[in-house]
């Protein structure tokens, strides 16, 4: 996916019919990250080991764009 298509509040998946998604919560300028920005994302998940119902992460916007192949909303 093109970096310009990644927007705050957007929901993305790795493929059509994927079993989970990632929602972009925040995009911040970060010159040291790939693409000059980092993306904070979250996903509804079920992690038996930790008992978490929601997962979070962050990565460079180019890294996120390589993962996100489908925009859901």
């Amino acid at each position: 996916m093109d970096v310009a298509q990644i927007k705050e509040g957007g929901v993305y998946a790795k493929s059509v019919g994927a079993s989970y998604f990632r929602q972009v919560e925040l995009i911040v300028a970060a010159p040291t990250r790939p693409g000059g920005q980092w993306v904070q994302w979250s996903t509804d998940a079920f992690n038996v080991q930790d008992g978490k119902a929601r997962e979070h992460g962050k990565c460079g916007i180019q890294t996120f764009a390589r993962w996100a192949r489908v925009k859901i909303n």
Side-chain angles (χ1 to χ4, degrees), residues 39-57:
V39 174
Q40 179 178 321
W41 55 266
S42 67
T43 186
D44 289 331
F46 183 68
N47 183 333
V48 175
Q49 185 175 8
D50 298 329
K52 296 179 182 176
R54 193 160 175 99
E55 297 288 327
H56 300 274

Side-chain angles (χ1 to χ4, degrees), residues 18-63:
S19 60
Y20 72 99
F21 63 87
R22 291 179 179 170
Q23 180 172 359
V24 174
E25 294 180 344
L26 186 64
I27 298 174
V28 177
T32 60
R33 292 287 192 162
Q37 297 174 305
W38 63 258
V39 174
Q40 179 178 321
W41 55 266
S42 67
T43 186
D44 289 331
F46 183 68
N47 183 333
V48 175
Q49 185 175 8
D50 298 329
K52 296 179 182 176
R54 193 160 175 99
E55 297 288 327
H56 300 274
K58 66 180 179 178
C59 60
I61 197 163
Q62 284 181 341
T63 302

